[in-house]
């Protein structure tokens, strides 16, 4: 079930909300939490019920291991007065992490491993056709972090119901944010979350509606041009290649950022504050700044549970750079079983190394130039992230530097398709603009609009700074939701569901 469907907006969300707070008003607190867990599991199983046992077994296994590690830590602390971790606990932690990674590897990387094994050794092992369970990367990372923190003695003894809610809470279940037990468990146990709060409802609807506009009005429109360029077989000209790469750059941002806005907004209806996952990343003025703003919770996980355990920046400079490269290569591989993701991760790791070396010179770069270089790098690296093969990536990149074609290309070959926000717009445009110009006008007008939008305040800044206007904004955006549901058909995919 997707956030941008009428089933979710008009049925699942209001029913879940109403029953949850009705049970709380009746002082049936445990029943209300159980209802929210049940509703979240239904939300997860709606796509394919066959994968429901996987998340249930994963939760039960990690809860048992994590509870054992936390209790063992407390016993050690109380009886010996010290915080030493026994070899036995390390073995249990290693076993728990290994089981999580094996589960992830089986579903996500088995085919990739066999494909590369066949290629490297000229073997002919059959590649299994395995459907990737929804959200397995997200709930696996979330629970690995829980195990590590239990080993460190940083978790309390949570009950199974609260732990289940921590893992399955539907706004963040499918594509994040990757939440941390420290920021969630206290909210699930707090009495302040038990009754509906007018301000949170308004802010939640406000943020949700902004995310819905990003997804339905912007990301799905850019998707048409990105797909036409990346999935087509034609050689791309200069304009077509730039339209393709920039369309995907904005599609991915508005798709994932929109999803996170909707997740945050839906959670606020239940008085739950999810961590901010995007903070206007295309405003970044260097690659380090970009990763402070893009997919913030993934960056946090990679830093705390991979980069720092590898040694972080505590060792030599060369080792620090090796740790950066390994972290981002593995971060790229987390996104998918493809060498294209590995290349993308290596590019970002290399960019961070170069950024650190540049900082050693103490030279200051003009902010406009710094932003331009950062954005262009991010745009080029997304080409590898999106392309299915190196051939597809080079087709786009070659077109982007084919200056000669900029002066000889027929505009009609620029990839275009019917606009997502309504066929009537295309019809009006075709009546007033020559057909050969459509290829230029539509995508580049949308790209210019996107550049303008990313300079504005994001949803969270608007929600915090415009509270006096929020009621008016909420009414306007709710009306927009109704128009959207009436006129437009819902997209069937969020990009990050694939990762």
């Amino acid at each position: 079930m997707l956030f941008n469907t009428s089933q979710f907006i008009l049925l699942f969300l209001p029913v879940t909300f109403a029953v949850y707070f009705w049970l709380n008003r009746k002082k049936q607190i445990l029943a209300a939490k159980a209802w929210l867990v049940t509703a979240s599991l239904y939300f997860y199983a709606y796509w394919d019920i066959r994968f429901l046992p996987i998340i249930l077994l994963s939760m039960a296994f990690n809860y048992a291991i994590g509870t054992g590690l936390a209790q063992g830590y407390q016993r050690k602390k109380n009886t010996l007065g010290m915080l030493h971790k026994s070899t036995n606990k390390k073995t249990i932690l290693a076993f728990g992490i290994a089981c999580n990674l094996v589960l992830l590897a089986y579903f996500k990387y088995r085919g990739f491993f066999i494909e590369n094994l066949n290629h490297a050794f000229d073997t002919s092992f059959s590649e299994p056709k395995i459907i990737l369970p929804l959200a397995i990367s997200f709930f696996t990372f979330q629970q690995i972090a829980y195990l590590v923190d239990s080993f460190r003695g940083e978790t309390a003894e949570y009950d199974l119901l609260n732990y289940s809610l921590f893992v399955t809470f539907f706004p963040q279940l499918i594509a994040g944010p990757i939440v941390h037990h420290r920021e969630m468990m206290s909210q699930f146990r707090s009495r302040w979350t038990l009754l509906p709060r007018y301000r949170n409802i308004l802010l939640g609807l406000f943020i949700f509606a902004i995310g819905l506009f990003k997804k339905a009005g912007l990301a799905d429109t850019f998707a048409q041009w990105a797909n036409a360029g990346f999935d087509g077989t034609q050689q791309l000209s200069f304009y077509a290649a730039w339209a393709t790469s920039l369309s995907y750059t904005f599609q991915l941002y508005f798709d994932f950022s929109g999803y996170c806005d909707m997740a945050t907004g839906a959670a606020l209806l239940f008085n739950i504050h999810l961590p901010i996952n995007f903070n206007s990343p295309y405003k970044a003025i260097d690659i380090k700044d970009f990763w402070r703003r893009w997919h913030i919770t993934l960056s946090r996980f990679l830093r705390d549970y991979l980069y720092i355990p590898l040694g972080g920046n505590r060792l030599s400079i060369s080792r620090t750079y090796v740790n950066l490269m390994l972290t981002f290569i593995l971060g790229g591989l987390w996104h998918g079983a493809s060498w294209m993701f590995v290349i993308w991760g290596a590019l970002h790791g290399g960019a961070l190394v170069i950024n650190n070396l540049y900082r050693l010179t103490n030279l200051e770069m003009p902010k406009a130039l710094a932003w331009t270089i950062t954005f262009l790098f991010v745009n080029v690296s997304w080409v590898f992230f999106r392309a299915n093969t190196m051939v597809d990536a080079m087709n786009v990149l070659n077109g982007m530097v084919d200056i000669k074609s900029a002066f000889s290309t027929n505009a009609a070959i620029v990839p275009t398709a019917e606009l997502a926000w309504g066929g009537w717009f295309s019809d009006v445009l075709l009546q007033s603009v020559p057909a050969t110009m459509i290829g230029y006008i539509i995508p580049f007008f949308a790209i210019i609009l996107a550049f303008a939008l990313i300079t504005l305040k994001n949803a969270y800044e608007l929600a915090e700074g415009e509270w006096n206007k929020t009621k008016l904004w909420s009414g306007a955006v709710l009306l927009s939701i109704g128009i959207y549901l009436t006129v437009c058909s819902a997209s069937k995919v969020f990009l990050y569901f694939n990762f």
Side-chain angles (χ1 to χ4, degrees):
M1 188 183 302
L2 302 181
F3 288 162
N4 60 318
T5 60
S6 56
Q7 295 98 316
F8 178 85
I9 296 172
L10 300 180
L11 187 60
F12 176 85
L13 187 58
V15 169
T16 303
F17 175 89
V19 173
Y20 174 73
F21 285 114
W22 178 77
L23 288 170
N24 280 332
R25 285 187 182 278
K26 296 292 184 180
K27 302 188 184 304
Q28 300 296 319
I29 310 302
L30 291 180
K33 287 184 179 179
W35 161 254
L36 201 51
V37 171
T38 302
S40 297
L41 290 173
Y42 172 81
F43 175 81
Y44 180 83
Y46 187 85
W47 178 64
D48 196 329
I49 197 172
R50 292 176 297 173
F51 297 124
L52 183 59
I54 294 174
I55 192 172
L56 291 174
L57 290 173
S58 176
M59 280 194 302
F61 173 82
N62 285 288
Y63 177 74
I65 296 290
T67 301
L69 289 171
Q71 291 175 346
Y73 183 91
Q74 289 301 320
R75 285 196 299 270
K76 202 72 171 174
K77 181 179 177 181
N78 294 334
T79 58
L80 299 181
M82 59 181 63
L83 303 182
H84 294 303
K85 304 171 182 65
S86 67
T87 303
N88 185 49
K89 281 187 62 182
K90 291 182 179 179
T91 302
I92 294 173
L93 174 65
F95 173 73
I97 293 175
C99 288
N100 279 282
L101 293 179
V102 166
L103 180 69
L104 182 62
Y106 175 81
F107 283 103
K108 194 167 185 177
Y109 302 106
R110 184 181 174 190
F112 178 66
F113 174 78
I114 293 176
E115 177 187 352
N116 284 277
L117 185 68
N118 288 338
H119 182 75
F121 298 100
D122 197 25
T123 54
S124 57
F125 295 108
S126 60
E127 297 179 29
K129 294 183 179 179
I130 299 175
I131 301 175
L132 183 67
L134 200 60
I136 189 170
S137 296
F138 288 92
F139 68 70
T140 298
F141 269 32
Q142 189 168 316
Q143 294 186 102
I144 286 175
Y146 172 75
L147 294 185
V148 174
D149 289 346
S150 297
F151 173 77
R152 294 170 176 170
E154 298 174 0
T155 62
E157 292 187 29
Y158 306 122
D159 62 76
L160 180 59
L161 187 59
N162 276 331
Y163 180 80
S164 299
L165 190 55
F166 160 64
V167 176
T168 66
F169 186 47
F170 72 88
Q172 54 82 35
L173 172 61
I174 304 300
I178 302 174
V179 296
H180 197 277
H181 65 89
R182 258 195 315 268
E183 58 202 0
M184 301 302 293
M185 290 301 198
S186 60
Q187 296 189 72
F188 293 142
R189 292 182 296 183
S190 173
R191 62 188 180 90
W192 297 105
T193 65
L194 299 181
L195 295 176
R197 298 188 175 277
Y198 179 65
R199 185 178 191 276
N200 284 347
I201 292 172
L202 280 180
L203 288 175
L205 292 174
F206 176 68
I207 295 172
F208 184 94
I210 289 176
L212 180 59
F213 171 73
K214 287 180 182 178
K215 167 61 179 171
L218 299 173
D220 290 349
T221 298
F222 283 115
Q224 298 178 74
W225 304 315
N227 293 339
F230 278 104
D231 299 339
T233 57
Q234 75 276 20
Q235 182 178 352
L236 298 179
S237 69
F238 179 81
Y239 295 111
W242 277 99
T244 297
S245 67
L246 288 170
S247 290
Y248 184 70
T249 290
F250 287 118
Q251 179 203 356
L252 183 62
Y253 170 70
F254 288 122
D255 185 280
F256 196 20
S257 174
Y259 174 89
C260 288
D261 288 349
M262 285 187 269
T264 299
L268 266 178
L269 298 180
F270 298 86
N271 303 315
I272 300 298
H273 294 262
L274 294 180
I276 295 175
N277 211 21
F278 280 83
N279 184 19
S280 304
Y282 288 168
K283 292 180 181 179
I285 57 174
D286 61 48
I287 195 63
K288 193 172 184 179
D289 186 28
F290 174 80
W291 279 103
R292 290 194 189 104
R293 296 166 174 267
W294 177 276
H295 206 341
I296 297 170
T297 57
L298 175 62
S299 300
R300 178 181 65 182
F301 178 92
L302 293 174
R303 180 197 66 203
D304 294 346
Y305 300 100
L306 185 56
Y307 176 68
I308 291 177
L310 284 172
N313 59 1
R314 301 189 303 274
L315 305 174
S316 65
I317 293 178
S318 59
R319 178 61 186 273
T320 297
Y321 295 157
V322 170
N323 292 340
L324 273 175
M325 289 298 298
L326 285 174
T327 299
F328 274 86
I329 287 172
L330 292 173
L333 192 60
W334 173 83
H335 284 85
S338 167
W339 286 110
M340 304 307 294
F341 292 120
V342 174
I343 293 171
W344 171 80
L347 286 172
H348 277 267
L352 281 165
V353 170
I354 293 172
N355 180 74
N356 286 353
L357 289 172
Y358 178 79
R359 285 176 177 271
L360 294 176
T361 67
N362 293 320
L363 296 174
E364 289 290 334
M365 186 181 296
K367 285 189 176 181
L369 178 60
W371 176 86
T372 301
I373 292 173
T374 303
F375 183 84
L376 288 176
F377 168 78
V378 170
N379 181 65
V380 169
S381 68
W382 285 139
V383 172
F384 294 95
F385 191 87
R386 170 60 176 83
N388 295 318
T389 66
M390 182 61 75
V391 173
D392 294 336
M394 295 312 298
N395 184 35
V396 176
L397 294 174
N398 288 335
M400 291 171 68
V401 296
D402 185 9
I403 305 297
K404 183 179 178 181
S405 67
F407 301 97
S408 61
T409 299
N410 185 334
I413 72 169
V414 177
T416 58
E418 185 180 33
L419 286 177
W421 54 57
W424 61 270
F425 185 85
S426 299
D427 294 339
V428 171
L429 197 61
L430 284 169
Q431 292 174 7
S432 56
V433 178
T436 55
M437 294 297 294
I438 297 297
Y440 289 132
I441 291 176
I442 296 179
F444 285 108
F445 172 79
I447 288 167
I448 292 170
L449 175 63
F451 272 116
L453 289 174
I454 64 173
T455 66
L456 304 177
K457 292 181 178 180
N458 58 44
Y460 312 107
E461 292 169 334
L462 287 172
E464 291 176 0
E466 303 291 337
W467 169 240
N468 292 333
K469 300 178 182 178
T470 298
K471 296 177 183 179
L472 296 176
W473 273 102
S474 298
V477 293
L478 285 174
L479 178 61
S480 299
I481 291 174
I483 295 172
Y484 159 72
L485 290 173
T486 304
V487 175
C488 302
S489 60
S491 171
K492 301 299 182 183
V493 65
F494 277 94
L495 288 180
Y496 256 73
F497 283 19
N498 298 321
F499 308 136

